[in-house]
Amino acid sequence: MNHQTSYYLNHQLSRHFSRQLVVLLILSMSLGLSYLLWKHEKNNALLEVRATLDFNVRDISSRIEQRMASSEQVLRGAQGVFTISESVQRKDFANYINMLQLGADHAGMEGVGIILSVASDSFEQHIAVMRQQTSGEYQIYPLPNPAITFAAPIIQLEPAIGRNRKMLGFDTYSDPVQKVAMERARDSGAIAVTAMLKLPAADNVPAQNGFYIYLPIYKDGSPHDTQETRRANLLGWVFAPFRVAEVMASLYGENPRATDICIYDGVEPTAANLMYDSATLRRDASVTKPARLDLNKVIKPQLLQATEYVSNGGRSWTIVMTSSSGVDKAIGNDKSTLIAASGILLSALLSVLAWVLLSGRERALTLAREMTKELRESEARFRYLAQYDELSGLPNRAMFKDRLRHAIVQAKRDKSLLALMYLDLDKFKPINDNLGHHVGDMLLRAVAERMQQCVRESDTVARMGGDEFMILLPVIELEQDALLVAEKIRAAISEPFEVSGGHILQVSCSIGIALYPQHGNDEIELSKNADNAMYRAKELGRDRVKVFDPA
């Protein structure tokens, strides 16, 4: 072989080796880039799963809080029945509960009942009276210990069907778990929720985890502003038993797919505290769940978990949402497999494909951010409408009741005076009828602005609806202070209003005033008396202020 032939062969081998080296380099770079993109997408999917879990667990917690709040209102309605009169007939209470028509919105609530506090020396008399009312063999059970001073039997639980009928006469105070919640409700005067209870099976319904809610009933007209007076004047409780599984099954909204929702009683997520588990295959929590959840030992590395806490009636619940292996597919945004396959099979087009995927993902992330922003704005709007009147911008009925309740508590503590005013515009309806509702709405906004200019920052002006307003003066020295503010408001409203469209409107108002504590010890009585005083002002000729007169 001559020198020229050797040079040619060496040159060919060098070119072949160079081509292989370039191919291997391109392949290595394309596979490396594919791996980096795959890893990046996996991390993004993981972050999205975490964000989705966090959002879903907050949503579930919010729905639970809303359900508990609506159930509390049902109990407060029943409590109000006894606040009006202690001698409520059984059929009247049953009719009241029936008229509430507690349907799907209160699924899981077994009923609403009454518990009576009965002293030991009145057991026989109580049993005799109850047997006459129920036409049955009423008996307090379990049999009271001779050493106890009183019992707390269930005297009515509506609707009186199934397990509810069998609960008649049960001494709830004999159950240590219920006793703790009942005493907490009695001493605080507020709602109290029991720890987790095991509700027995009844009417083809298996035994389930549940809890009870209690509200105290005090003797009508008796003071209960201190713990001692609340204990001394306790009449009994209104209560409602709940089944957790049925409550969760009836919550509005779609439960997230590929997730397991667990609810624990308390802040310790242990098997002993497990109230609810949505996993249908997890029948025995003591076997399938460890004594305490440990993400490193129990949950597989690809699974995630989000936790939220709910507090209600003195109890805290822990909501734990755990992803399953298919949660990334349920969310539908994990494209790592597609990226890996495309990187291996289409290495020559990797740069174009990467650009398309990255730009597409950027658009998706931008859209997601915009949707998140809109959702937050919507949530903020809903929160605003829950507390403020949309037309006038004033606090609505719900916020005003809350501020009035807190003002009464503060006045009781400081032994000070407060004033509640009920204001109604005179002859507002003809303006709506003759000029249209849009003119009436402009007038209401102008009235609201003038009223706010007449009061202090610490005072509250609220719109109850229509042309009715309420004003709260949380701290006054004398009755004359309230009269001066009311006259100032009345005079301001009497001035002409110029609204859009060139209309000059003239209205007046009638104002009724009720003072705490002279005219009522709670928000219901004060509101009623202020309303009566306002109607008295209208009867006397309108355009005037009237202080409530018990006579």
Side-chain angles (χ1 to χ4, degrees):
M1 182 182 297
N2 58 26
H3 177 73
Q4 186 176 4
T5 304
S6 176
Y7 174 79
Y8 176 77
L9 290 176
N10 289 335
H11 180 69
Q12 289 295 103
L13 288 174
S14 177
R15 291 183 59 186
H16 179 70
F17 177 76
S18 297
R19 285 195 299 268
Q20 287 183 333
L21 184 60
V22 170
V23 170
L24 290 175
L25 181 61
I26 293 175
L27 180 60
S28 298
M29 292 179 61
S30 63
L31 291 177
L33 183 58
S34 297
Y35 171 77
L36 291 176
L37 290 174
W38 173 83
K39 187 175 181 179
H40 174 73
E41 178 65 20
K42 272 295 183 183
N43 289 335
N44 284 340
L46 184 65
L47 292 175
E48 191 164 2
V49 171
R50 287 185 183 276
T52 301
L53 281 178
D54 289 338
F55 175 83
N56 288 336
V57 75
R58 287 196 299 269
D59 179 60
I60 290 291
S61 301
S62 175
R63 283 188 266 156
I64 292 174
E65 289 175 339
Q66 292 173 5
R67 173 59 59 83
M68 296 301 295
S70 65
S71 300
E72 178 181 350
Q73 292 306 312
V74 172
L75 282 188
R76 290 201 177 278
Q79 182 191 45
V81 173
F82 286 90
T83 301
I84 298 173
S85 173
E86 296 178 5
S87 58
V88 179
Q89 300 296 319
R90 295 180 62 82
K91 69 174 183 178
D92 293 336
F93 183 77
N95 289 337
Y96 171 76
I97 299 302
N98 184 51
M99 289 176 63
L100 294 179
Q101 296 183 351
L102 303 177
D105 290 344
H106 294 85
M109 179 187 286
E110 295 286 277
V112 180
I114 311 165
I115 295 172
L116 196 63
S117 177
V118 182
S120 57
D121 56 2
S122 302
F123 282 173
E124 293 184 3
Q125 179 183 358
H126 168 74
I127 293 173
V129 172
M130 287 301 301
R131 287 181 177 178
Q132 289 180 355
Q133 293 180 0
T134 59
S135 301
E137 297 180 357
Y138 174 86
Q139 180 62 51
I140 299 177
Y141 74 94
L143 294 177
N145 189 316
I148 69 172
T149 59
F150 80 98
I154 297 174
I155 65 170
Q156 192 169 0
L157 181 55
E158 298 295 337
I161 57 176
R163 194 176 73 92
N164 290 355
R165 189 184 299 111
K166 299 176 183 179
M167 294 294 292
L168 199 64
F170 174 67
D171 180 12
T172 51
Y173 218 66
S174 64
D175 182 353
V177 175
Q178 297 187 57
K179 178 181 177 181
V180 170
M182 293 167 70
E183 290 179 343
R184 188 167 68 249
R186 175 199 65 191
D187 293 344
S188 66
I191 190 171
V193 177
T194 67
M196 179 179 63
L197 291 169
K198 196 72 173 181
L199 301 184
D203 297 337
N204 297 324
V205 178
Q208 295 181 10
N209 291 331
F211 57 90
Y212 280 45
I213 294 182
Y214 295 95
L215 267 178
I217 308 170
Y218 301 107
K219 296 177 182 177
D220 187 21
S222 63
H224 47 271
D225 53 347
T226 65
Q227 187 180 90
E228 290 73 16
T229 56
R230 285 193 283 267
R231 291 185 176 184
N233 296 310
L234 179 71
L235 185 64
W237 295 264
V238 290
F239 77 103
F242 288 81
R243 294 181 182 266
V244 181
E246 294 178 11
V247 172
M248 292 298 297
S250 66
L251 290 180
Y252 293 124
E254 180 182 355
N255 288 333
R257 295 175 294 168
T259 56
D260 176 18
I261 302 171
C262 296
I263 303 178
Y264 297 89
D265 182 29
V267 295
E268 293 293 331
T270 63
N273 294 339
L274 182 63
M275 296 175 63
Y276 171 78
D277 186 351
S278 64
T280 56
L281 299 180
R282 195 170 295 173
R283 301 297 185 185
D284 187 358
S286 63
V287 174
T288 59
K289 285 189 179 293
R292 179 178 175 85
L293 287 178
D294 186 338
L295 287 177
N296 296 323
K297 296 180 180 179
V298 180
I299 304 177
K300 295 180 181 180
Q302 69 270 27
L303 303 188
L304 301 175
Q305 186 183 69
T307 302
E308 189 76 8
Y309 300 94
V310 174
S311 295
N312 186 66
R315 295 296 301 177
S316 294
W317 294 343
T318 302
I319 316 297
V320 178
M321 181 175 290
T322 306
S323 72
S324 68
S325 57
V327 71
D328 51 351
K329 297 182 178 59
I331 295 174
N333 290 329
D334 186 359
K335 301 180 179 66
S336 59
T337 302
L338 175 62
I339 293 175
S342 300
I344 295 172
L345 299 176
L346 305 173
S347 57
L349 300 176
L350 182 60
S351 57
V352 176
L353 179 60
W355 180 86
V356 171
L357 290 175
L358 289 175
S359 62
R361 178 155 188 80
E362 183 64 28
R363 288 193 298 271
L365 290 175
T366 301
L367 179 60
R369 284 193 293 267
E370 292 176 354
M371 294 177 64
T372 301
K373 180 180 177 182
E374 292 176 0
L375 179 60
R376 289 175 178 171
E377 291 175 349
S378 177
E379 289 177 349
R381 179 65 175 168
F382 283 133
R383 285 195 296 269
Y384 176 83
L385 293 178
Q387 296 180 322
Y388 292 91
D389 174 55
E390 185 174 15
L391 174 64
S392 65
L394 297 175
N396 62 11
R397 186 184 300 270
M399 176 178 278
F400 186 82
K401 287 178 64 178
D402 184 67
R403 290 188 178 179
L404 176 58
R405 189 178 301 113
H406 282 85
I408 292 176
V409 171
Q410 187 67 36
K412 287 181 180 178
R413 183 182 301 114
D414 299 340
K415 300 189 181 333
S416 60
L417 301 179
L418 68 79
L420 178 65
M421 303 181 189
Y422 205 114
L423 182 148
D424 187 85
L425 297 181
D426 299 325
K427 299 181 180 179
F428 174 75
K429 187 174 183 299
I431 295 176
N432 261 349
D433 294 342
N434 297 329
L435 301 179
H437 287 281
H438 66 288
V439 176
D441 289 346
M442 289 188 288
L443 176 59
L444 289 174
R445 283 192 288 268
V447 168
E449 291 177 2
R450 286 194 187 177
M451 292 174 66
Q452 288 181 299
Q453 295 171 0
C454 297
V455 299
R456 302 165 298 184
E457 290 187 4
S458 59
D459 302 330
T460 300
V461 179
R463 180 171 178 242
M464 298 294 103
D467 58 341
E468 298 177 352
F469 300 84
M470 293 193 81
I471 305 99
L472 171 64
L473 309 181
V475 179
I476 61 173
E477 296 293 334
L478 300 169
E479 176 182 317
Q480 188 64 25
D481 297 338
L483 285 170
L484 289 174
V485 174
E487 286 293 345
K488 183 178 180 182
I489 293 174
R490 187 195 64 77
I493 293 178
S494 297
E495 295 293 329
F497 289 87
E498 182 176 357
V499 298
S500 177
H503 299 287
I504 305 297
L505 305 177
Q506 187 84 36
V507 294
S508 61
C509 66
S510 300
I511 303 176
I513 303 176
L515 303 175
Y516 171 87
Q518 294 95 314
H519 303 146
N521 288 319
D522 56 47
E523 63 270 20
I524 297 176
E525 188 175 4
L526 278 176
S527 300
K528 181 181 71 175
N529 290 337
D531 188 39
N532 290 337
M534 182 274 293
Y535 278 107
R536 182 58 178 162
K538 283 188 177 291
E539 292 174 356
L540 294 175
R542 297 186 174 90
D543 192 18
R544 65 189 64 232
V545 177
K546 180 68 177 174
V547 179
F548 175 72
D549 183 357

Short mmCIF file of all heavy atoms in Angstrom, two decimals, residues 36-75:
data_model
loop_
_atom_site.label_atom_id
_atom_site.label_comp_id
_atom_site.label_asym_id
_atom_site.label_seq_id
_atom_site.Cartn_x
_atom_site.Cartn_y
_atom_site.Cartn_z
N LEU A 36 -33.73 17.29 30.36
CA LEU A 36 -33.92 18.52 31.14
C LEU A 36 -35.36 19.04 31.01
O LEU A 36 -35.98 19.47 31.99
CB LEU A 36 -32.93 19.59 30.68
CG LEU A 36 -31.45 19.32 31.01
CD1 LEU A 36 -30.57 20.42 30.42
CD2 LEU A 36 -31.25 19.23 32.53
N LEU A 37 -35.88 18.98 29.76
CA LEU A 37 -37.27 19.41 29.56
C LEU A 37 -38.25 18.49 30.28
O LEU A 37 -39.24 18.94 30.87
CB LEU A 37 -37.59 19.46 28.07
CG LEU A 37 -36.91 20.57 27.26
CD1 LEU A 37 -37.20 20.40 25.77
CD2 LEU A 37 -37.38 21.93 27.75
N TRP A 38 -37.97 17.19 30.23
CA TRP A 38 -38.84 16.23 30.92
C TRP A 38 -38.83 16.49 32.43
O TRP A 38 -39.88 16.50 33.08
CB TRP A 38 -38.34 14.81 30.64
CG TRP A 38 -39.06 13.76 31.42
CD1 TRP A 38 -40.24 13.17 31.12
CD2 TRP A 38 -38.60 13.16 32.64
NE1 TRP A 38 -40.58 12.25 32.08
CE2 TRP A 38 -39.59 12.22 33.03
CE3 TRP A 38 -37.47 13.34 33.44
CZ2 TRP A 38 -39.47 11.46 34.18
CZ3 TRP A 38 -37.37 12.57 34.59
CH2 TRP A 38 -38.35 11.65 34.97
N LYS A 39 -37.64 16.72 32.97
CA LYS A 39 -37.54 16.98 34.41
C LYS A 39 -38.24 18.29 34.76
O LYS A 39 -38.93 18.40 35.80
CB LYS A 39 -36.07 17.03 34.81
CG LYS A 39 -35.87 17.14 36.32
CD LYS A 39 -34.39 17.05 36.67
CE LYS A 39 -34.21 17.13 38.19
NZ LYS A 39 -32.78 17.03 38.57
N HIS A 40 -38.08 19.31 33.92
CA HIS A 40 -38.73 20.59 34.15
C HIS A 40 -40.25 20.45 34.16
O HIS A 40 -40.95 21.01 35.02
CB HIS A 40 -38.29 21.58 33.07
CG HIS A 40 -39.01 22.90 33.13
ND1 HIS A 40 -38.76 23.85 34.09
CD2 HIS A 40 -39.98 23.42 32.33
CE1 HIS A 40 -39.56 24.89 33.91
NE2 HIS A 40 -40.30 24.66 32.83
N GLU A 41 -40.77 19.68 33.19
CA GLU A 41 -42.22 19.49 33.13
C GLU A 41 -42.74 18.72 34.34
O GLU A 41 -43.81 19.01 34.88
CB GLU A 41 -42.58 18.76 31.83
CG GLU A 41 -44.07 18.46 31.66
CD GLU A 41 -44.90 19.72 31.54
OE1 GLU A 41 -44.34 20.78 31.21
OE2 GLU A 41 -46.12 19.63 31.79
N LYS A 42 -41.95 17.71 34.76
CA LYS A 42 -42.34 16.95 35.95
C LYS A 42 -42.43 17.86 37.18
O LYS A 42 -43.35 17.77 37.98
CB LYS A 42 -41.35 15.82 36.21
CG LYS A 42 -41.66 14.52 35.50
CD LYS A 42 -42.97 13.93 36.02
CE LYS A 42 -43.27 12.60 35.38
NZ LYS A 42 -44.59 12.06 35.83
N ASN A 43 -41.46 18.74 37.30
CA ASN A 43 -41.47 19.66 38.45
C ASN A 43 -42.65 20.62 38.38
O ASN A 43 -43.29 20.91 39.40
CB ASN A 43 -40.15 20.46 38.50
CG ASN A 43 -38.97 19.60 38.91
OD1 ASN A 43 -39.15 18.58 39.58
ND2 ASN A 43 -37.77 19.99 38.50
N ASN A 44 -42.94 21.13 37.16
CA ASN A 44 -44.09 22.01 37.02
C ASN A 44 -45.39 21.30 37.35
O ASN A 44 -46.29 21.86 37.98
CB ASN A 44 -44.16 22.57 35.60
CG ASN A 44 -43.14 23.66 35.37
OD1 ASN A 44 -42.64 24.26 36.32
ND2 ASN A 44 -42.81 23.92 34.12
N ALA A 45 -45.51 20.04 36.88
CA ALA A 45 -46.71 19.27 37.18
C ALA A 45 -46.85 19.04 38.68
O ALA A 45 -47.95 19.09 39.24
CB ALA A 45 -46.68 17.93 36.43
N LEU A 46 -45.70 18.79 39.32
CA LEU A 46 -45.71 18.58 40.76
C LEU A 46 -46.18 19.84 41.47
O LEU A 46 -47.01 19.79 42.39
CB LEU A 46 -44.32 18.18 41.24
CG LEU A 46 -44.19 17.82 42.73
CD1 LEU A 46 -44.99 16.57 43.05
CD2 LEU A 46 -42.73 17.62 43.09
N LEU A 47 -45.68 21.00 41.04
CA LEU A 47 -46.10 22.26 41.65
C LEU A 47 -47.59 22.52 41.41
O LEU A 47 -48.30 23.03 42.28
CB LEU A 47 -45.28 23.42 41.07
CG LEU A 47 -43.79 23.44 41.45
CD1 LEU A 47 -43.08 24.57 40.70
CD2 LEU A 47 -43.63 23.62 42.95
N GLU A 48 -48.06 22.15 40.20
CA GLU A 48 -49.47 22.36 39.90
C GLU A 48 -50.37 21.45 40.73
O GLU A 48 -51.45 21.84 41.18
CB GLU A 48 -49.72 22.14 38.40
CG GLU A 48 -51.09 22.60 37.95
CD GLU A 48 -51.17 22.74 36.44
OE1 GLU A 48 -50.16 22.45 35.77
OE2 GLU A 48 -52.23 23.14 35.96
N VAL A 49 -49.90 20.21 40.94
CA VAL A 49 -50.66 19.30 41.80
C VAL A 49 -50.73 19.85 43.22
O VAL A 49 -51.78 19.83 43.87
CB VAL A 49 -50.02 17.89 41.79
CG1 VAL A 49 -50.66 17.01 42.86
CG2 VAL A 49 -50.19 17.25 40.42
N ARG A 50 -49.60 20.37 43.70
CA ARG A 50 -49.60 20.96 45.04
C ARG A 50 -50.58 22.13 45.12
O ARG A 50 -51.35 22.25 46.07
CB ARG A 50 -48.18 21.45 45.39
CG ARG A 50 -47.19 20.33 45.69
CD ARG A 50 -45.86 20.93 46.15
NE ARG A 50 -44.86 19.91 46.38
CZ ARG A 50 -44.75 19.22 47.51
NH1 ARG A 50 -45.60 19.45 48.50
NH2 ARG A 50 -43.80 18.32 47.64
N ALA A 51 -50.53 23.02 44.12
CA ALA A 51 -51.43 24.18 44.12
C ALA A 51 -52.89 23.74 44.05
O ALA A 51 -53.76 24.32 44.72
CB ALA A 51 -51.09 25.10 42.95
N THR A 52 -53.17 22.71 43.22
CA THR A 52 -54.54 22.22 43.11
C THR A 52 -55.02 21.61 44.42
O THR A 52 -56.15 21.84 44.85
CB THR A 52 -54.63 21.18 41.98
OG1 THR A 52 -54.21 21.77 40.76
CG2 THR A 52 -56.06 20.68 41.81
N LEU A 53 -54.15 20.84 45.06
CA LEU A 53 -54.53 20.25 46.35
C LEU A 53 -54.81 21.34 47.38
O LEU A 53 -55.79 21.26 48.14
CB LEU A 53 -53.42 19.32 46.86
CG LEU A 53 -53.34 17.92 46.25
CD1 LEU A 53 -52.16 17.17 46.84
CD2 LEU A 53 -54.62 17.14 46.48
N ASP A 54 -53.94 22.36 47.43
CA ASP A 54 -54.14 23.44 48.39
C ASP A 54 -55.47 24.16 48.14
O ASP A 54 -56.21 24.47 49.08
CB ASP A 54 -52.99 24.45 48.30
CG ASP A 54 -51.69 23.90 48.85
OD1 ASP A 54 -51.76 22.95 49.67
OD2 ASP A 54 -50.61 24.40 48.48
N PHE A 55 -55.77 24.41 46.86
CA PHE A 55 -57.04 25.08 46.55
C PHE A 55 -58.23 24.21 46.92
O PHE A 55 -59.20 24.67 47.52
CB PHE A 55 -57.08 25.42 45.06
CG PHE A 55 -58.40 25.99 44.62
CD1 PHE A 55 -58.68 27.34 44.79
CD2 PHE A 55 -59.37 25.17 44.05
CE1 PHE A 55 -59.89 27.86 44.39
CE2 PHE A 55 -60.59 25.69 43.66
CZ PHE A 55 -60.85 27.04 43.82
N ASN A 56 -58.16 22.91 46.58
CA ASN A 56 -59.29 22.02 46.84
C ASN A 56 -59.53 21.82 48.33
O ASN A 56 -60.68 21.77 48.77
CB ASN A 56 -59.04 20.67 46.16
CG ASN A 56 -59.18 20.74 44.65
OD1 ASN A 56 -59.86 21.63 44.13
ND2 ASN A 56 -58.54 19.84 43.94
N VAL A 57 -58.46 21.71 49.12
CA VAL A 57 -58.67 21.49 50.55
C VAL A 57 -59.24 22.76 51.20
O VAL A 57 -60.06 22.68 52.12
CB VAL A 57 -57.36 21.05 51.24
CG1 VAL A 57 -56.40 22.19 51.42
CG2 VAL A 57 -57.67 20.39 52.59
N ARG A 58 -58.85 23.95 50.70
CA ARG A 58 -59.45 25.18 51.21
C ARG A 58 -60.92 25.27 50.80
O ARG A 58 -61.76 25.74 51.58
CB ARG A 58 -58.68 26.40 50.69
CG ARG A 58 -57.32 26.59 51.34
CD ARG A 58 -56.79 27.99 51.08
NE ARG A 58 -56.61 28.24 49.65
CZ ARG A 58 -55.50 28.01 48.98
NH1 ARG A 58 -54.44 27.51 49.62
NH2 ARG A 58 -55.40 28.26 47.71
N ASP A 59 -61.22 24.81 49.59
CA ASP A 59 -62.61 24.83 49.13
C ASP A 59 -63.48 23.90 49.97
O ASP A 59 -64.59 24.26 50.37
CB ASP A 59 -62.66 24.43 47.65
CG ASP A 59 -64.08 24.41 47.11
OD1 ASP A 59 -64.72 25.46 47.14
OD2 ASP A 59 -64.54 23.33 46.68
N ILE A 60 -62.99 22.69 50.23
CA ILE A 60 -63.74 21.75 51.08
C ILE A 60 -63.94 22.34 52.47
O ILE A 60 -65.04 22.27 53.05
CB ILE A 60 -62.98 20.41 51.17
CG1 ILE A 60 -63.03 19.67 49.83
CG2 ILE A 60 -63.57 19.53 52.27
CD1 ILE A 60 -64.39 19.15 49.44
N SER A 61 -62.89 22.93 53.04
CA SER A 61 -63.00 23.51 54.38
C SER A 61 -64.02 24.64 54.40
O SER A 61 -64.80 24.76 55.34
CB SER A 61 -61.63 24.03 54.83
OG SER A 61 -60.68 23.01 54.86
N SER A 62 -64.02 25.46 53.34
CA SER A 62 -64.98 26.56 53.27
C SER A 62 -66.41 26.05 53.20
O SER A 62 -67.31 26.58 53.86
CB SER A 62 -64.68 27.44 52.05
OG SER A 62 -65.64 28.45 51.89
N ARG A 63 -66.64 24.97 52.43
CA ARG A 63 -67.99 24.41 52.34
C ARG A 63 -68.44 23.82 53.66
O ARG A 63 -69.61 23.91 54.04
CB ARG A 63 -68.05 23.36 51.23
CG ARG A 63 -68.09 23.96 49.83
CD ARG A 63 -68.33 22.89 48.79
NE ARG A 63 -67.09 22.40 48.23
CZ ARG A 63 -66.95 21.22 47.67
NH1 ARG A 63 -67.96 20.39 47.63
NH2 ARG A 63 -65.80 20.84 47.17
N ILE A 64 -67.50 23.20 54.39
CA ILE A 64 -67.84 22.66 55.72
C ILE A 64 -68.21 23.79 56.67
O ILE A 64 -69.20 23.70 57.41
CB ILE A 64 -66.66 21.84 56.28
CG1 ILE A 64 -66.48 20.56 55.45
CG2 ILE A 64 -66.90 21.48 57.74
CD1 ILE A 64 -65.25 19.76 55.85
N GLU A 65 -67.44 24.89 56.64
CA GLU A 65 -67.73 26.02 57.52
C GLU A 65 -69.10 26.62 57.19
O GLU A 65 -69.86 26.99 58.08
CB GLU A 65 -66.64 27.07 57.39
CG GLU A 65 -65.31 26.65 58.01
CD GLU A 65 -64.21 27.67 57.77
OE1 GLU A 65 -64.35 28.46 56.82
OE2 GLU A 65 -63.22 27.65 58.52
N GLN A 66 -69.42 26.72 55.90
CA GLN A 66 -70.72 27.26 55.51
C GLN A 66 -71.86 26.35 55.98
O GLN A 66 -72.90 26.84 56.45
CB GLN A 66 -70.78 27.43 53.99
CG GLN A 66 -69.86 28.53 53.45
CD GLN A 66 -69.82 28.56 51.94
OE1 GLN A 66 -70.55 27.83 51.27
NE2 GLN A 66 -68.95 29.40 51.40
N ARG A 67 -71.67 25.03 55.85
CA ARG A 67 -72.70 24.10 56.31
C ARG A 67 -72.90 24.21 57.82
O ARG A 67 -74.04 24.23 58.32
CB ARG A 67 -72.32 22.67 55.93
CG ARG A 67 -73.26 21.59 56.50
CD ARG A 67 -74.71 21.77 56.06
NE ARG A 67 -74.83 21.72 54.63
CZ ARG A 67 -74.92 20.59 53.93
NH1 ARG A 67 -74.92 19.44 54.56
NH2 ARG A 67 -75.03 20.63 52.61
N MET A 68 -71.79 24.31 58.58
CA MET A 68 -71.90 24.42 60.03
C MET A 68 -72.56 25.74 60.43
O MET A 68 -73.35 25.79 61.38
CB MET A 68 -70.52 24.31 60.67
CG MET A 68 -69.85 22.95 60.46
SD MET A 68 -70.81 21.57 61.12
CE MET A 68 -70.78 21.95 62.85
N ALA A 69 -72.26 26.81 59.69
CA ALA A 69 -72.88 28.10 59.99
C ALA A 69 -74.38 28.06 59.76
O ALA A 69 -75.16 28.59 60.55
CB ALA A 69 -72.23 29.20 59.15
N SER A 70 -74.82 27.42 58.65
CA SER A 70 -76.26 27.32 58.39
C SER A 70 -76.94 26.43 59.42
O SER A 70 -78.07 26.71 59.84
CB SER A 70 -76.49 26.77 56.98
OG SER A 70 -76.02 25.44 56.86
N SER A 71 -76.27 25.37 59.88
CA SER A 71 -76.85 24.51 60.92
C SER A 71 -76.97 25.28 62.23
O SER A 71 -77.94 25.10 62.98
CB SER A 71 -75.98 23.27 61.11
OG SER A 71 -75.90 22.52 59.91
N GLU A 72 -75.97 26.12 62.51
CA GLU A 72 -76.05 26.93 63.74
C GLU A 72 -77.26 27.86 63.69
O GLU A 72 -77.93 28.06 64.71
CB GLU A 72 -74.78 27.75 63.90
CG GLU A 72 -74.79 28.64 65.12
CD GLU A 72 -73.54 29.48 65.27
OE1 GLU A 72 -72.56 29.22 64.53
OE2 GLU A 72 -73.53 30.39 66.12
N GLN A 73 -77.57 28.41 62.52
CA GLN A 73 -78.73 29.29 62.42
C GLN A 73 -80.03 28.54 62.68
O GLN A 73 -80.98 29.08 63.26
CB GLN A 73 -78.77 29.93 61.02
CG GLN A 73 -77.64 30.92 60.76
CD GLN A 73 -77.55 31.99 61.82
OE1 GLN A 73 -78.56 32.60 62.19
NE2 GLN A 73 -76.34 32.21 62.34
N VAL A 74 -80.09 27.27 62.25
CA VAL A 74 -81.28 26.46 62.55
C VAL A 74 -81.44 26.31 64.06
O VAL A 74 -82.53 26.47 64.62
CB VAL A 74 -81.17 25.08 61.87
CG1 VAL A 74 -82.30 24.17 62.34
CG2 VAL A 74 -81.21 25.23 60.37
N LEU A 75 -80.35 26.00 64.75
CA LEU A 75 -80.41 25.84 66.20
C LEU A 75 -80.75 27.17 66.88
O LEU A 75 -81.48 27.19 67.87
CB LEU A 75 -79.09 25.31 66.74
CG LEU A 75 -78.82 23.82 66.55
CD1 LEU A 75 -77.57 23.41 67.32
CD2 LEU A 75 -79.98 22.98 67.01
#
